Amino acid sequence: MAILNATSKTYKADATGGKDSTTAINNVIEASMKDGSIVYLPSGTYLVEGNLIAEISGRPIQITGDGWGQTVISFTGSGDCFRSYCPGLYSTDTIFGAVPAGGSITGITIDGTNHGGEGGSAIHVGDLLQYNINVDVQNFYQPGDKGVWFDNQYWWTEQLYGKIFASNCASHVVFDNNGDTNSTGSFERCDLAIFIDQNDATFDGVVFQNGTYIADGALAIEGNFTGANTDVESAVLRFTGAAPDSHADAGAYSNIINSRLNVGVECDAPESNTTPYTIYFQTSDNYILNCTGIMDFMAAPAAFQQCNIPGSVSNFTGPILGDTSLVAS
């Protein structure tokens, strides 16, 4: 498979961070769609003042760097730094007969320290099959920001897999169903490992909203959280809402079901008055059901707040540490 170097004389992305590389990187992404070539960003810092778009149509778009902290995108624009999706999933945009297009983004750090406006994200992807993500995202800390935003706007996402390190983000990783009448909350059969460095006690870890769910998959959450001297309602794991009435799975509540769920987190705030919740359910209709694994919230100098609706966790097989309300349920 061919490799397209974004810094080559053809595309001229600037790995010194001295000038905007948005157009150069978008041009190499577009070129890769013609023959399935891999987009390669060598070590360096790339200033991105606009938005990187990878609309998948028939072929997977694979974007790779030299590793976290080696290939760095410094995002100073607004909205999404990187957006990838397939609007024709399970219909016309296929690779081999009925197999929908996928792709990947790996070996890259995206930093949002200087990004503009609220509601931004490092990575916004969805409506994909077998998408591979291995990224480091940091400093998307303004109100409404998301580190990684998994979002179905057209159909659904399945067999998503990979590893994410997210630090200092208002919501570190969000699963969302934010699209049209055909979109669903399905993130079935995914396999994700998420590492979080919270930094600010008001920031959430992993959020499921608008009726999103993982079924028959695996989710691991590990990391460090902190506390505050004022009340906070943040959580390691948060579930809110249901699929909107107009959507294909209207009324289905955010959940994790029939999956492996492993949590290993600590709260480094022994002198704080308030700490994040272990798990926060917006309503008793949101739930975790029939899952296996270990949930360890006690490797910490400070205790987390107990789950607010412990009855929403049922039939969990495996140790639960650091939240006696869940043990009792």
Side-chain angles (χ1 to χ4, degrees):
M1 183 175 293
I3 295 175
L4 302 180
N5 188 327
T7 63
S8 68
K9 293 181 179 180
T10 302
Y11 303 107
K12 300 179 182 178
D14 179 11
T16 71
K19 63 180 182 180
D20 180 30
S21 290
T22 305
T23 299
I25 297 174
N26 276 330
N27 285 343
V28 72
I29 289 173
E30 183 176 356
S32 76
M33 296 171 62
K34 297 176 182 178
D35 60 4
S37 297
I38 295 172
V39 175
Y40 173 50
L41 298 176
S43 295
T45 297
Y46 300 84
L47 176 64
V48 171
E49 297 178 347
N51 309 104
L52 305 177
I53 308 294
E55 180 180 332
I56 294 173
S57 177
R59 293 182 181 274
I61 298 173
Q62 301 180 67
I63 302 172
T64 190
D66 281 327
W68 300 357
Q70 299 299 311
T71 297
V72 178
I73 293 175
S74 177
F75 180 53
T76 62
S78 59
D80 306 319
C81 176
F82 175 74
R83 175 77 171 108
S84 187
Y85 60 101
C86 181
L89 187 64
Y90 292 141
S91 58
T92 59
D93 291 339
T94 58
I95 309 170
F96 306 109
V99 181
S104 63
I105 180 168
T106 61
I108 292 174
T109 291
I110 300 179
D111 179 72
T113 301
N114 297 310
H115 81 286
E118 301 177 356
S121 73
I123 295 175
H124 182 186
V125 297
D127 305 294
L128 298 166
L129 181 78
Q130 298 177 348
Y131 195 79
N132 177 20
I133 184 168
N134 190 320
V135 294
D136 166 29
V137 299
Q138 57 192 31
N139 300 320
F140 285 80
Y141 46 70
Q142 298 189 47
D145 279 359
K146 306 168 186 68
V148 175
W149 185 10
F150 295 122
D151 178 29
N152 294 331
Q153 295 198 353
Y154 299 95
W155 305 96
W156 48 81
T157 297
E158 296 187 359
Q159 300 176 36
L160 172 71
Y161 65 102
K163 183 182 297 183
I164 298 164
F165 178 73
S167 61
N168 200 33
C169 298
S171 292
H172 289 82
V173 177
V174 176
F175 293 83
D176 202 357
N177 174 18
N178 191 40
D180 63 21
T181 56
N182 290 319
S183 70
T184 77
S186 174
F187 289 87
E188 294 181 272
R189 290 169 287 282
C190 79
D191 189 348
L192 286 172
I194 299 171
F195 302 87
I196 294 170
D197 191 0
Q198 183 199 32
N199 289 330
D200 187 316
T202 65
F203 294 166
D204 277 322
V206 178
V207 178
F208 288 79
Q209 63 188 34
N210 292 324
T212 49
Y213 64 93
I214 290 175
D216 308 318
L219 177 64
I221 304 170
E222 300 179 14
N224 295 74
F225 289 72
T226 189
N229 291 320
T230 57
D231 290 343
V232 296
E233 290 192 355
S234 59
V236 175
L237 184 54
R238 177 181 297 275
F239 297 85
T240 68
D245 290 342
S246 61
H247 287 212
D249 53 358
Y253 282 84
S254 301
N255 69 85
I256 300 176
I257 187 170
N258 300 335
S259 296
R260 297 191 308 276
L261 177 60
N262 291 311
V263 179
V265 293
E266 70 175 33
C267 187
D268 306 313
E271 298 179 358
S272 298
N273 293 330
T274 309
T275 56
Y277 285 90
T278 57
I279 306 172
Y280 190 96
F281 296 98
Q282 183 182 38
T283 75
S284 59
D285 292 311
N286 301 117
Y287 60 89
I288 296 172
L289 176 65
N290 296 337
C291 292
T292 63
I294 178 171
M295 291 196 285
D296 183 359
F297 301 98
M298 70 177 298
F304 287 93
Q305 292 189 71
Q306 307 276 285
C307 176
N308 69 317
I309 308 178
S312 284
V313 179
S314 57
N315 295 336
F316 186 88
T317 302
I320 300 177
L321 309 172
D323 190 329
T324 57
S325 71
L326 293 176
V327 174
S329 68

